[in-house]
Amino acid sequence: MAVAAGTKVCVVNTHGGQVVDTWAFDPADATHFLSMEHSRVATYKIMFEVGDTLVSNRREPFLTITADTSPGLHDTQYAACDAVEYAAMGKPDHPNCADNLRAALTPFGLAPPVVPCPWNLFEIATIRDGRYLADLPAGALPGAYVEMEARRDVVLVCSACPSEGFGINGEAPPRGGHFELYPPRA
Ligand SMILES: [Zn+2]
């Protein structure tokens, strides 16, 4: 989805409990994208919150979080699920977030050389003893949302993670989410 600078986007957890892998790209350059590692440095946080500005791999502001009605712990550590991962689990044709990203970018003429680490909205991966990752079910209730403002023109991609494993999507099967867009502020 193309999002113009100044536009607010709301990513809504329509049914609750859904993890939504999220990326943002420079519409003119597939090698310039929202970067979790650079955003962690920029905010000095493992997980971002309202008021934080997330940046690109060139440290350019991309998105500012303007509201969040979920538990607010959005993972920034995990790679997107992909075909290799599912094949290793004996599910070679399973839908996956990496392929969803590539398919979503194709109409924009973008073919990134790598799949950047996604911003895993609603995914709760806590860090235990300063070292270990521990997954908890996404605690977002139906209708919970994260609202963000684009700081520049971006192509925003969200993939409702189809994983049934690891408990990240809670007990229910993955069911998707939806967007709402708001015009730039006057
Ligand atoms: Zn996924």
Side-chain angles (χ1 to χ4, degrees):
M1 168 175 57
V3 180
T7 304
K8 281 188 176 177
V9 181
C10 211
V11 180
V12 184
N13 212 313
T14 314
H15 307 287
Q18 174 70 52
V19 169
V20 180
D21 291 38
T22 299
W23 295 268
F25 283 80
D26 180 337
D29 184 350
T31 70
H32 185 206
F33 46 76
L34 181 71
S35 166
M36 292 298 97
E37 54 266 48
H38 292 82
S39 295
R40 289 193 294 265
V41 172
T43 61
Y44 228 61
K45 295 173 188 172
I46 293 293
M47 291 186 235
F48 315 127
E49 57 191 327
V50 172
D52 288 341
T53 293
L54 282 56
V55 302
S56 72
N57 56 333
R58 298 177 197 166
R59 304 185 193 273
E60 181 181 333
F62 261 39
L63 301 170
T64 297
I65 306 171
T66 51
D68 186 350
T69 67
S70 79
L73 296 172
H74 309 284
D75 171 67
T76 70
Q77 307 291 321
Y78 285 140
C81 64
D82 58 27
V84 175
E85 181 182 26
Y86 287 114
M89 292 188 281
K91 303 174 182 176
D93 299 319
H94 197 284
N96 63 81
C97 290
D99 284 346
N100 287 348
L101 170 68
R102 295 187 190 96
L105 289 176
T106 298
F108 295 95
L110 293 171
V114 296
V115 173
C117 180
W119 185 26
N120 292 308
L121 291 179
F122 310 113
E123 179 164 13
I124 302 178
T126 58
I127 296 175
R128 181 168 52 82
D129 299 335
R131 183 190 302 270
Y132 303 101
L133 288 163
D135 297 328
L136 295 173
L141 298 173
Y145 61 84
V146 178
E147 181 193 77
M148 59 199 83
E149 180 174 342
R151 301 292 302 274
R152 67 176 331 277
D153 292 353
V154 296
V155 173
L156 188 76
V157 177
C158 291
S159 169
C161 183
S163 172
E164 302 94 355
F166 315 110
I168 60 169
N169 282 315
E171 298 296 321
R175 288 180 292 181
H178 74 277
F179 300 115
E180 294 176 9
L181 275 170
Y182 303 99
R185 286 184 293 199

